[in-house]
């Protein structure tokens, strides 16, 4: 049965890798397979019995595949029609989850109950943002945000679009995240007189839980308004990880204790164990209760209910789900008086997770959570003799750190080297002291418990901060190939096999050092890089903005850094740094910030913080924060040129005289770069407009013809004049635009000019990141959406060619 459960889970995971959903009718093929399996298993002939077992496992694999396919068909059928994207729709619904507030808006999940607009269609669950109304000046606002609480019923007018995110190598997949959480449209609340609250509370269990979570969060914030780690205590109580500032997450990541700052299985198990022990101790003292129900069974029920309650309060994330299901299996075994092996418990919990939530396999937490428990079981099994507790604890920490290396490098390309020591300090303090105090504080009138909880947490964080500041606290590297991850996992298992086989056997598994050899390819197999004279160019998908990475044999350049989204997030941290790390680019020889507009400069500070940058080249003012953050900087100007590995870089614009003209807008100071190879060339004009294009034609007209052009100013009507387009005469044009952006980029008349030339047209909102290689006297390009097509990815209703 264990193999069948694994096969079912593998089938679920296989479905989530499909570009298109299969026809459910094909599931009938499984029926003759399972009948044949039973008949063969009933045979007394060995080879038939073996074949039957294989068919039985194949049946479970197919069952998992089609089980997930049925759920996916149902979810994908709940879709916003293209014709209703960007149109006002009046809705009645319920605030379904904890609202999240930032500087200028709040966001919340909304369960749609009724669509009031005639003929309109809206999905059952959507994600909405409610923005402050802007005043006369860009940085002022007319009115505060409304008070919105989980469980309230509202009537609102909204504009929606299908879930659509950026798609980049090694980047976060928003559309995957949305389908996993059943968010079938996103949008914002429009200003309307009939936006109003209809009911203070919709009396349903799920909404009651969400309101309770919100009330606890607000009580914590009020009780500790100016304390540094209030957000961590909120996360430990109700699972709201967005309450933790970015700087603190960096400490958690560098020390490897980030799993403790969410509702981990360890916390749920601890709470369940405490309640179990308390109820067992009290129950035994009442003969009447013991006669009615044995104390152990009563304690099992209480412990399981405590685990379920805490997990629900915390948002029921994957680690909490896994723990609740494992405890349920253990509780059932204890209730029935049957023995359940640790591996059986883990596998039945795995089955429960993938059956109830087939999208769980998409979450890194799924693999890390089950992987960590499997490692603990592997290390614990087969050992004989007593081990001193400190030695056992150290061995376990070392095993978990070592065992998760392949998964962490595959998912995040980094591993904390101080994790064993950091966890040895943090786990007892957080799980045994901070979490119990925090949960007591969640009870009414127990807010005072937050003070000692915060004090202990603060002391722990002082130690973590010191460990995080160690220069080599974290190992970062390229994304390893899949085969090296598989080999590394096999090597880890071999290294952690028991040193003794059992009673009477003192010899351990032989040559366990071979496991370390199998782990080496993860570190030693390096990504491909350009040969001498070649240029690899990646036009990243950053929405409405620009960020391009150019690589030669031994050098790397970043041209613009994409937009900033808020004080906590920007394209640098979300897209550029993960791409650089995943590709094995450990430093930048130059970073060009073409001009000050936030859609081109918004991610620069995050890049400078995360990656060594040798030179900053820009048109920014001397007092700009980006200039202060860079160690070496100078202004871009026409006539500047350099060569890397046989590839020529020429700055064509602006002129030195442009900087002395105070009337010029930032777009008119955009740094225009031409990169030339023996295999083709690319022109990067940033946001120049008509006047700048005419100056380029007059001063550097002969340098403009290029194989590839990244369209000026995202395809705005203020750029791409006929003269400029014909002079450049590109074979490939790339528009870097956001999906359904408010500017209407690229403009149709601009697109038509390039189409008339016969250029191939790509755009980032449709194609994702564009990967170009200038090599072998040719240009080869691929797009991220084509390379990693999944069934949940939106197909925009836009035609380019």
């Amino acid at each position: 049965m264990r193999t069948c459960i694994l096969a079912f889970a593998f089938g679920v995971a296989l479905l989530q890798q499909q570009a298109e959903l299969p026809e459910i009718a094909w599931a009938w093929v499984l029926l003759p397979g399972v009948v044949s399996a039973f008949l063969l298993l009933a045979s007394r002939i060995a080879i038939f019995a073996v074949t039957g077992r294989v068919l039985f496992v194949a049946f479970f694999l197919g069952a998992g595949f089609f089980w997930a396919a049925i759920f996916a068909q149902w979810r994908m059928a709940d879709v916003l029609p293209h014709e209703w994207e960007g149109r006002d729709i009046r809705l009645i619904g319920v605030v379904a989850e904890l609202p999240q507030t930032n500087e200028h808006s709040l966001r919340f999940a909304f369960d749609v109950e009724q669509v009031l607009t005639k003929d309109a269609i809206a999905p059952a669950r959507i994600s909405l943002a409610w923005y402050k109304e802007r005043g006369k000046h860009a940085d002022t606002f007319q009115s505060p945000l409304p008070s919105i609480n989980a469980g309230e019923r509202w009537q609102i007018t909204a504009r929606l679009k299908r879930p659509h995110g950026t798609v980049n190598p090694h980047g976060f997949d928003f559309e995957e995240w949305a389908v996993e959480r059943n968010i079938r449209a996103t949008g914002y609340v429009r200003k309307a007189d009939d936006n109003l609250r209809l009911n203070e509370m919709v009396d349903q269990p799920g909404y009651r839980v969400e309101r309770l979570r919100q009330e606890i969060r607000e009580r914590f914030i009020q009780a500790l308004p100016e304390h540094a780690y209030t957000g961590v205590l909120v996360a430990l109580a109700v699972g709201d990880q967005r309450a933790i500032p970015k700087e603190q997450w960096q400490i958690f990541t560098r020390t490897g204790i980030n799993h403790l700052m969410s509702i981990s299985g360890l916390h749920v198990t601890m709470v369940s164990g405490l309640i179990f022990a308390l109820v067992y101790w009290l129950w035994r003292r009442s003969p009447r209760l013991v006669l009615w129900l044995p104390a152990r069974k009563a304690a099992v029920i209480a412990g399981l209910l405590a685990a379920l309650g805490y997990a629900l309060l915390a948002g029921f994330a994957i680690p909490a789900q896994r723990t609740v299901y494992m405890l349920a299996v253990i509780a059932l075994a204890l209730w029935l008086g049957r023995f359940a092996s640790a591996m059986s418990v883990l596998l039945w919990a795995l089955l429960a997770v993938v059956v109830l939530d087939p999208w769980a396999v998409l979450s890194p937490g799924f693999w890390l959570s089950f992987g960590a428990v499997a490692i603990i079981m592997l290390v614990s099994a087969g050992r004989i003799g007593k081990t001193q507790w400190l030695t056992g604890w150290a061995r376990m920490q070392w095993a978990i750190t070592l065992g998760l290396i392949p998964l962490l490098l595959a998912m995040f390309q980094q591993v904390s080297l101080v994790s064993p020591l950091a966890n040895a300090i943090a786990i007892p303090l957080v799980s045994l002291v901070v979490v119990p105090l925090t949960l007591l504080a969640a009870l009414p009138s127990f807010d005072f418990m937050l003070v000692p909880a915060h004090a202990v947490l603060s002391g722990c964080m002082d130690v973590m901060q010191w460990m995080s500041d160690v220069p080599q606290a974290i190992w970062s590297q390229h994304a390893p190939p899949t085969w090296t991850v598989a080999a590394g996992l096999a090597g880890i298992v071999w290294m952690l096999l028991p040193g003794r086989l059992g009673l009477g056997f003192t010899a351990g598994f032989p040559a366990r050092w071979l496991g370390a050899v199998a782990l080496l390819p993860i570190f030693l197999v390096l990504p491909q890089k350009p040969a001498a004279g070649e240029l690899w160019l990646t036009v990243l998908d950053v929405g409405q903005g620009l960020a391009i990475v150019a690589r030669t044999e031994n050098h790397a350049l970043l041209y613009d850094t994409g937009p900033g989204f808020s004080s906590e997030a920007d394209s640098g941290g979300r897209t550029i740094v993960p791409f650089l790390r995943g590709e094995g680019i450990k430093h930048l020889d130059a970073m060009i910030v073409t001009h000050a507009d936030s859609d081109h400069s918004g991610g620069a500070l995050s890049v400078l913080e995360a990656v060594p940058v040798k030179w900053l080249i820009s048109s920014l003012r001397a007092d700009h924060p980006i200039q202060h953050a860079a160690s070496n900087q100078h202004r871009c100007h026409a006539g500047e040129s350099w060569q890397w590995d046989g590839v020529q870089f020429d700055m064509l614009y602006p002129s030195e005289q442009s900087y002395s003209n105070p009337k010029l807008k930032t777009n008119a100071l955009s740094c225009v770069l031409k990169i030339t190879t023996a295999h083709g060339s690319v022109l990067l004009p940033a946001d120049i407009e008509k006047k700048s294009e005419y100056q380029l034609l007059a001063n550097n007209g002969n340098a403009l013809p290029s194989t590839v052009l990244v369209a000026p100013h995202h395809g705005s009507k203020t750029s791409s004049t006929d003269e400029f387009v014909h002079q450049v005469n590109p074979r490939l044009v790339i528009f870097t635009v956001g999906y359904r952006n408010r500017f209407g980029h690229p403009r149709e008349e601009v697109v038509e000019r390039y189409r008339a030339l016969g250029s191939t047209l790509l755009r980032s909102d449709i194609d994702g990141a564009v990967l170009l290689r200038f090599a072998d006297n040719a240009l080869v390009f691929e797009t991220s959406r084509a390379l990693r097509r999944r069934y949940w990815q939106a197909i925009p209703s836009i035609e380019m060619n």
Side-chain angles (χ1 to χ4, degrees):
M1 193 60 192
R2 295 180 179 183
T3 305
C4 293
I5 292 175
L6 288 173
F8 186 93
F10 182 78
V12 171
L14 185 63
L15 185 279
Q16 307 304 348
Q17 304 303 312
Q18 302 306 304
E20 296 181 359
L21 291 175
E23 293 291 337
I24 301 301
W26 283 103
W28 289 107
V29 175
L30 299 177
L31 186 59
V34 72
V35 172
S36 300
F38 276 117
L39 292 175
L40 290 169
L41 284 171
S43 172
R44 295 185 178 182
I45 302 175
I47 190 170
F48 287 172
V50 171
T51 304
R53 293 190 189 96
V54 172
L55 283 176
F56 205 59
V57 171
F59 166 76
F60 273 87
L61 187 148
F65 183 84
F66 283 105
W67 176 264
I70 291 170
F71 274 72
Q73 293 279 17
W74 288 341
R75 185 158 292 183
M76 299 307 294
D78 187 20
V79 65
L80 176 71
H82 283 299
E83 60 267 25
W84 282 100
E85 288 188 286
R87 296 172 61 181
D88 286 355
I89 305 177
R90 294 174 62 230
L91 304 169
I92 292 178
V94 183
V95 180
E97 294 179 357
L98 276 173
Q100 300 295 329
T101 305
N102 59 31
E103 308 102 301
H104 307 310
S105 68
L106 63 84
R107 182 171 290 278
F108 53 94
F110 194 69
D111 285 347
V112 176
E113 296 178 313
Q114 187 178 357
V115 179
L116 300 179
T117 302
K118 184 179 179 181
D119 299 327
I121 298 173
R125 172 162 287 203
I126 60 179
S127 176
L128 292 175
W130 199 319
Y131 295 99
K132 291 181 179 179
E133 295 179 34
R134 290 195 175 273
K136 296 181 179 180
H137 302 286
D139 56 348
T140 62
F141 298 89
Q142 292 182 348
S143 60
L145 291 167
S147 173
I148 291 183
N149 301 299
E152 293 178 340
R153 178 177 283 120
W154 278 76
Q155 176 179 303
I156 57 174
T157 299
R159 281 193 178 178
L160 305 176
K161 63 180 180 180
R162 294 187 176 195
H164 190 98
T166 60
V167 179
N168 296 281
H170 319 295
F172 172 70
D173 188 340
F174 170 79
E175 293 165 50
E176 174 187 301
W177 178 90
V179 74
E180 182 185 348
R181 286 156 180 79
N182 196 23
I183 300 297
R184 304 303 301 130
T186 64
Y188 62 96
V189 179
R190 294 273 288 167
K191 181 181 179 181
D193 293 335
D194 58 353
N195 288 339
L196 69 152
R197 183 186 293 108
L198 301 178
N199 298 100
E200 294 287 344
M201 186 68 217
V202 176
D203 194 12
Q204 292 184 18
Y207 300 144
R208 286 287 182 187
V209 170
E210 290 300 320
R211 175 65 68 87
L212 177 61
R213 296 177 68 204
Q214 183 175 355
E215 290 172 351
I216 292 173
R217 180 180 67 178
E218 291 174 354
R219 280 202 294 113
F220 278 28
I221 293 173
Q222 291 173 3
L224 301 174
E226 301 296 332
H227 290 64
Y229 303 111
T230 303
V232 176
L233 297 179
V234 169
L236 291 174
V238 299
D240 182 13
Q241 297 184 26
R242 285 167 288 194
I244 302 177
K246 180 175 69 173
E247 296 76 14
Q248 293 177 12
W249 273 120
Q250 290 176 345
I251 297 174
F252 303 151
T253 301
R254 289 182 62 82
T255 54
I257 66 167
N258 41 339
H259 66 98
L260 288 177
M261 301 308 155
S262 58
I263 308 302
S264 70
L266 182 65
H267 301 334
V268 176
T269 304
M270 181 275 301
V271 170
S272 177
L274 287 176
I275 298 300
F276 175 93
L278 179 61
V279 171
Y280 185 71
W281 183 77
L282 292 173
W283 200 275
R284 290 182 63 188
R285 275 145 182 79
S286 173
R288 180 177 297 180
L289 289 175
V290 171
L291 288 174
W292 178 68
L293 183 68
R296 185 180 298 275
K297 289 187 176 182
V300 163
I301 295 174
L304 182 59
L305 290 177
L308 179 60
Y310 185 25
L312 289 174
L313 185 66
F316 215 50
I318 295 295
Q321 288 183 38
R322 182 260 303 163
T323 304
V324 169
Y325 298 145
M326 289 179 67
L327 291 173
V329 174
I330 295 172
L332 182 62
L334 290 173
W335 184 273
L336 298 176
R338 300 182 60 180
F339 174 76
S341 69
M343 186 55 67
S344 295
V345 170
L346 182 65
L347 289 176
W348 281 107
L350 171 66
L351 181 63
V353 169
V354 296
V355 165
L356 297 175
D357 182 9
W359 290 276
V361 297
L362 298 174
S363 168
F366 172 88
W367 300 98
L368 296 175
S369 177
F370 279 97
V373 176
I375 290 167
I376 292 172
M377 291 180 178
L378 179 64
V379 174
S380 303
R383 267 69 179 187
I384 64 172
K386 293 184 177 180
T387 302
Q388 202 270 338
W389 72 269
L390 184 59
T391 302
W393 176 263
R395 175 195 294 166
M396 194 65 68
Q397 290 301 315
W398 166 249
I400 293 173
T401 301
L402 182 66
L404 294 181
I405 283 176
L407 291 177
L408 289 170
L409 290 180
M411 296 174 183
F412 308 111
Q413 293 83 59
Q414 56 186 20
V415 175
S416 173
L417 299 180
V418 299
S419 174
L421 179 58
N423 276 282
I425 297 170
I427 287 177
L429 289 174
V430 174
S431 292
L432 299 180
V433 181
V434 177
V435 169
L437 292 174
T438 302
L439 290 181
L440 284 173
L443 299 173
S445 304
F446 278 79
D447 294 357
F448 62 89
M449 288 293 185
L450 288 173
V451 176
H454 190 278
V456 174
L457 180 61
S458 181
C460 178
M461 287 302 299
D462 288 341
V463 179
M464 296 301 109
Q465 177 74 67
W466 175 79
M467 297 180 72
S468 173
D469 291 338
V470 174
Q472 302 302 324
I474 195 166
W475 170 268
S476 296
Q477 65 158 63
H478 60 278
T482 302
W483 72 267
T484 66
V485 176
L489 289 172
I492 292 295
V493 171
W494 188 257
M495 291 170 66
L496 296 180
L497 285 172
R500 297 174 179 178
L501 298 181
L503 292 174
F505 296 89
T506 57
F509 282 90
R512 284 190 290 168
W513 57 269
L514 289 174
V517 175
L519 193 59
L520 289 178
I522 285 183
F523 305 98
L524 300 181
V525 177
L526 301 177
Q528 288 183 309
K529 67 176 185 177
E534 293 182 355
L535 172 68
W536 290 8
L537 198 80
T538 304
V539 182
L540 293 170
D541 179 10
V542 293
Q544 188 68 18
L546 183 64
I548 300 172
V549 177
R551 287 181 283 174
T552 65
E553 184 180 22
N554 299 305
H555 296 82
L557 175 145
L558 175 62
Y559 183 89
D560 273 338
T561 61
F565 308 118
S566 68
S567 60
E568 295 290 320
D570 57 56
S571 293
R574 284 190 178 180
T575 301
I576 299 171
V577 172
F579 174 78
L580 296 176
R581 185 168 57 234
E583 292 296 306
I585 302 173
K586 296 185 176 181
H587 71 278
L588 292 169
D589 296 278
M591 181 171 77
I592 299 176
V593 180
T594 59
H595 60 297
D597 286 3
S598 61
D599 58 332
H600 292 251
S601 64
L605 292 176
S606 292
V607 175
L608 288 168
E609 182 180 352
V611 182
V613 177
K614 187 175 181 180
W615 281 102
L616 170 67
I617 305 171
S618 73
S619 63
L620 304 175
R621 299 189 313 270
D623 60 350
H624 197 284
I626 296 174
Q627 295 277 35
H628 292 308
S631 56
N632 296 299
Q633 66 282 126
H634 69 266
R635 295 193 306 198
C636 61
H637 60 86
E640 182 180 11
S641 65
W642 65 94
Q643 191 175 96
W644 287 339
D645 309 314
V647 177
Q648 182 68 29
F649 294 77
D650 294 294
M651 198 69 70
L652 306 182
Y653 185 86
S655 64
E656 283 281 10
Q657 293 76 18
S658 299
Y659 290 102
S660 60
N661 184 352
K663 296 182 180 180
L664 285 181
K665 297 180 179 179
T666 55
N667 285 347
L669 291 175
S670 294
C671 307
V672 177
L673 182 67
K674 171 81 175 287
I675 309 176
T676 306
T677 75
H679 318 287
S681 58
V682 58
L683 182 64
L684 309 177
D687 275 0
I688 61 170
E689 297 179 333
K690 293 179 181 179
K691 289 185 179 181
S692 302
E693 290 180 358
Y694 290 141
Q695 291 182 33
L696 272 170
L697 288 166
N699 300 328
N700 290 288
N702 293 333
L704 292 181
S706 303
T707 313
V708 177
L709 171 68
V710 176
H713 203 184
H714 318 288
S716 164
K717 66 180 180 180
T718 61
S719 306
S720 296
T721 59
D722 285 326
E723 298 87 343
F724 179 83
V725 167
H726 282 84
Q727 183 65 19
V728 178
N729 192 27
R731 284 168 40 199
L732 173 66
V733 179
I734 303 170
F735 296 94
T736 57
V737 292
Y739 180 63
R740 299 189 63 84
N741 65 85
R742 61 190 178 93
F743 307 103
H745 296 162
R747 300 303 290 250
E748 180 55 35
E749 59 268 33
V750 172
V751 172
E752 187 55 40
R753 289 173 200 157
Y754 292 109
R755 186 182 288 125
L757 281 179
S759 304
T760 299
L761 307 181
L762 298 174
R763 47 189 289 173
S764 58
D765 59 342
I766 296 177
D767 302 296
V770 182
L771 294 72
L772 305 102
R773 293 192 179 189
F774 295 86
D776 300 324
N777 295 316
L779 166 66
V780 178
F781 64 89
E782 298 174 302
T783 65
S784 287
R785 284 190 180 266
L787 287 172
R788 192 182 180 276
R789 180 73 186 146
R790 295 293 184 269
Y791 69 82
W792 57 74
Q793 290 178 349
I795 303 176
S797 57
I798 305 169
E799 298 294 336
M800 285 293 293
N801 290 304

